[in-house]
């Protein structure tokens, strides 16, 4: 396979491919779209789910020290008062006095990117939380917020999880789900949107072990991206300077990906100290601490938090996987996605639409469906169908031809090498399952 493509218009190519093949559609498109929101189509929903499943597998399933939760999206203002979000979760907003566009002051260089005017207002703090009302009365008492991060759901459930699971530090609580931020300038496709998905884990540790675990999680998380196919030269860790740290953090490093517009964040890994548990304890009046029966010691754990964006990471996987190459004198587009991420792992393709091949092809499909996510495609020439599968990253095509009726064998074609091997139908599910195993 060739290296990742370095096209100046790579983002446009991914946006077009996403729309054309059903990964990501602009939301409310029939009404002209809606403010940089996106809908995930039949292939996008599979890819995004695979990204989240790969994260969950590595962060929860393959460990005995991390458990999951799924907390409410709609939440009490008291959470956001305690966490500091009501006071601090702001971006500096400026207005252009000439064209009346609004911008994030820290993302522009003194002039309006729309009209070029330098006549901008003084920056003012703009809170990014979406505010709504819970119940039929719209007043101060019913104000609620859509969560701007999943993290607080883990902190407010700390005691619930501790007592129900009998875990002891070091242990973690993981969560995957939607978060909402009223971003001033959503941009770069699904890189920055107002509605997005996060994959976050709060790892509670004895305070004197915080630094060790911080470095442990930096390594673990870098490994996860590399293992799933992000090239090493497109991935780096960037440690935050002291003046860049969030209000809760003692140390933060970002996992950054080399996007077409430059290095940018995929994930933040932070040592949040005991800030959150102490803040929630103070505001709620509840004790949020760990009592070690054996030593009689009582303490508030420190928290190491790897916080990744699922939708943003999905975009990085698409960008990193995009290739154009030539096979048999024909140009093709390929998504060289890891088979664990590919929307379809197998496509079953009857060589012709001919009725005689379809029943056997359906039999093969039935054998493969329990071991892999399959597509079944009978339209167009076989060459075109291979191209269509390459373009969406399907690692294996299984072709049923007229010989299959005689020898009960099929052709398995590999996406990256285009190599084809003949496999007996009785063994095809086992063969594919083996080749899909990491
Ligand atoms: N709990 C800590 C926290 O939320 P963050 O750095 O603000 O930290 C974590 O967010 C990750 O969530 C980011 O690294 C990014 O991948 C993703 N993310 C944040 N805001 C986003 C947005 N507006 N659109 C898409 N993804 C976003």
């Amino acid at each position: 396979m060739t290296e990742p493509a370095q096209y100046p218009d790579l983002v446009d190519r991914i946006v077009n491919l996403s729309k054309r093949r059903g990964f990501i559609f602009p939301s409310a498109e029939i009404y002209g779209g809606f403010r940089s929101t996106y809908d995930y189509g039949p292939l996008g929903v599979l890819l995004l789910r695979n990204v989240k499943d790969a994260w969950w597998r590595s962060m929860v399933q393959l460990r005995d020290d991390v458990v999951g939760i799924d907390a409410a999206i709609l939440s009490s203002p008291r959470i956001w008062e305690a966490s500091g979000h009501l006071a601090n979760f702001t971006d500096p907003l400026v207005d252009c006095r000439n064209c009346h566009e609004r911008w994030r002051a820290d993302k522009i260089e003194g002039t309006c990117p729309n009209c070029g005017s330098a006549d901008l207002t003084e920056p003012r703090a703009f809170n990014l939380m979406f505010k709504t009302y819970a119940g039929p009365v719209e007043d101060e008492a019913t104000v609620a917020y859509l969560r701007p991060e999943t993290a607080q759901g883990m902190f407010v459930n700390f005691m619930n999880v501790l007592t129900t699971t009998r875990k002891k530090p070091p242990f973690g609580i993981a969560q995957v789900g939607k978060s909402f931020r009223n971003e001033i300038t959503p941009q770069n496709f699904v890189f920055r949107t107002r509605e997005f998905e996060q994959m976050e884990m709060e790892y509670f540790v004895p305070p004197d072990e915080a630094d060790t675990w911080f470095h442990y999680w930096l390594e673990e998380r870098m490994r996860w991206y590399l293992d799933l196919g992000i090239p090493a030269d497109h991935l780096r860790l960037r440690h935050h300077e002291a003046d860049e740290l969030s209000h809760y953090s003692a140390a933060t490093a970002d996992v950054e990906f080399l996007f077409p517009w430059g290095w940018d964040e995929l994930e933040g890994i932070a040592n949040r100290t005991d800030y959150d548990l102490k803040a929630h304890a103070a505001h709620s009046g509840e004790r949020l601490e760990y009592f070690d029966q054996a030593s009689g010691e009582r303490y508030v754990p420190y928290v190491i938090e790897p916080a990744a964006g699922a939708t943003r990471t999905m975009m990085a996987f698409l960008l990193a996987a995009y290739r154009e190459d030539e096979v048999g004198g024909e140009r093709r587009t390929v998504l060289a996605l890891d088979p664990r991420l590919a929307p379809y792992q197998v496509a079953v393709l009857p060589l012709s639409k001919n009725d005689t091949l379809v029943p056997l092809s359906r039999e093969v499909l039935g054998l493969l469906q329990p071991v892999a996510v399959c597509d079944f495609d009978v339209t167009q020439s076989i060459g075109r169908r291979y191209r269509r599968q390459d373009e969406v990253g399907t690692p294996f095509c299984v072709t049923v031809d007229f010989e299959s009726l005689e020898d009960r064998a099929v052709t398995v074609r590999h996406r990256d090498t285009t190599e084809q091997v003949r496999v007996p139908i009785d063994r095809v599910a086992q063969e594919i399952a083996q080749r899909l195993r990491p």
Side-chain angles (χ1 to χ4, degrees):
M1 284 302 287
T2 47
E3 284 304 297
Q6 297 295 333
Y7 303 102
D9 60 348
L10 183 56
V11 173
D12 291 340
R13 288 176 195 232
I14 293 296
V15 172
N16 291 340
L17 176 67
S18 294
K19 170 93 197 320
R20 188 159 42 79
R21 298 306 309 275
F23 284 91
I24 301 173
F25 306 123
S27 189
E29 203 183 5
I30 60 168
Y31 294 106
F34 180 68
R35 297 174 181 270
S36 306
T37 53
Y38 294 93
D39 297 339
Y40 289 74
L43 294 191
V45 80
L46 292 170
L47 175 56
L48 182 59
R49 177 171 300 174
N50 290 341
V51 170
K52 294 184 287 185
D53 284 352
W55 185 90
W56 192 268
R57 183 177 158 80
S58 127
M59 301 296 276
V60 183
Q61 187 186 333
L62 297 180
R63 310 183 62 97
D64 63 2
D65 57 349
V66 179
V67 293
I69 62 163
D70 191 1
I73 287 174
L74 205 55
S75 54
S76 161
R78 297 191 60 198
I79 292 183
W80 309 109
E81 196 185 319
S83 67
H85 281 79
L86 272 175
N88 295 319
F89 198 58
T90 58
D91 277 338
L93 175 70
V94 290
D95 295 45
C96 170
R97 288 201 183 89
N98 184 42
C99 72
H100 308 294
E101 282 287 329
R102 290 182 164 177
W103 304 101
R104 233 178 99 170
D106 57 334
K107 295 282 177 190
I108 60 172
E109 289 179 11
T111 54
C112 171
N114 185 42
C115 71
S117 166
D119 190 7
L120 305 175
T121 59
E122 282 302 306
R124 59 190 184 282
F126 174 75
N127 195 293
L128 298 184
M129 284 199 294
F130 277 99
K131 190 176 182 178
T132 185
Y133 299 94
V137 182
E138 294 191 6
D139 64 19
E140 273 312 298
T142 60
V143 166
Y145 293 92
L146 300 188
R147 66 182 179 199
E149 60 172 17
T150 62
Q152 298 303 321
M154 271 89 89
F155 298 126
V156 299
N157 279 294
F158 173 73
M159 290 312 285
N160 283 336
V161 173
L162 197 63
T163 50
T164 52
T165 63
R166 306 179 68 80
K167 296 278 175 207
K168 52 185 275 189
F171 83 99
I173 310 178
Q175 181 169 204
V176 174
K178 291 229 170 173
S179 292
F180 301 82
R181 297 181 188 178
N182 199 2
E183 300 282 359
I184 296 169
T185 43
Q187 63 192 156
N188 290 329
F189 196 34
V190 296
F191 177 82
R192 180 174 296 109
T193 48
R194 297 194 171 108
E195 175 177 345
F196 55 97
E197 282 202 74
Q198 289 188 306
M199 311 184 285
E200 298 197 286
M201 199 270 284
E202 310 303 325
Y203 199 70
F204 300 92
V205 303
D208 60 350
E209 294 177 19
D211 197 46
T212 309
W213 285 111
F214 176 65
H215 287 95
Y216 168 87
W217 282 110
L218 295 185
E219 268 183 42
E220 279 296 298
R221 295 302 305 143
M222 286 294 280
R223 210 196 333 262
W224 184 80
Y225 292 97
L226 294 169
D227 177 50
L228 286 169
I230 300 285
D233 61 357
H234 277 58
L235 198 70
R236 73 175 189 193
L237 265 181
R238 188 182 66 79
H239 288 265
H240 282 206
E241 303 291 340
D243 62 355
E244 230 187 311
L245 293 174
S246 313
H247 59 276
Y248 50 73
S249 173
T252 298
D254 288 343
V255 177
E256 293 189 335
F257 174 72
L258 187 52
F259 283 92
W261 57 88
W263 289 100
D264 221 330
E265 176 185 337
L266 288 180
E267 166 163 356
I269 300 160
N271 174 356
R272 293 182 76 126
T273 69
D274 53 10
Y275 177 90
D276 304 272
L277 288 180
K278 280 194 169 156
H280 285 299
H283 280 76
S284 66
E286 298 283 327
R287 268 191 160 168
L288 303 182
E289 53 194 24
Y290 174 69
F291 176 65
D292 189 339
Q293 302 267 6
S295 66
E297 194 193 358
R298 190 181 284 285
Y299 65 88
V300 180
Y302 268 38
V303 172
I304 308 303
E305 174 194 71
T311 37
R312 186 179 287 190
T313 298
M314 168 176 156
M315 181 176 172
F317 280 123
L318 281 172
L319 290 165
Y322 188 90
R323 312 272 193 282
E324 284 181 18
D325 65 9
E326 216 174 278
V327 280
E330 240 189 275
R331 284 202 70 71
R332 65 167 186 169
T333 300
V334 194
L335 286 185
L337 289 167
D338 185 285
R340 289 167 288 177
L341 298 180
Y344 294 124
Q345 295 162 318
V346 180
V348 177
L349 313 173
L351 185 66
S352 93
K353 258 196 265 188
N354 188 316
D355 280 350
T356 49
L357 291 185
V358 172
L360 185 60
S361 305
R362 291 212 164 271
E363 183 188 329
V364 172
L365 178 68
L367 292 170
L368 286 165
Q369 276 171 330
V371 301
V373 179
C374 300
D375 189 18
F376 187 76
D377 187 4
V378 291
T379 56
Q380 299 184 320
S381 75
I382 192 71
R384 300 261 315 248
R385 279 182 279 163
Y386 284 153
R387 297 295 100 82
R388 281 176 59 78
Q389 295 298 335
D390 290 342
E391 193 183 42
V392 298
T394 310
F396 298 106
C397 287
V398 172
T399 308
V400 179
D401 55 26
F402 291 100
E403 235 178 284
S404 309
L405 299 171
E406 308 298 320
D407 65 359
R408 283 193 63 83
V410 287
T411 301
V412 176
R413 171 190 179 270
H414 188 243
R415 174 195 70 201
D416 299 342
T417 58
T418 70
E419 179 204 27
Q420 305 192 5
V421 290
R422 200 80 183 156
V423 177
I425 288 175
D426 293 346
R427 284 222 317 271
V428 71
Q430 190 192 356
E431 172 87 15
I432 293 278
Q434 244 164 27
R435 293 180 68 172
L436 286 174
R437 209 169 285 152

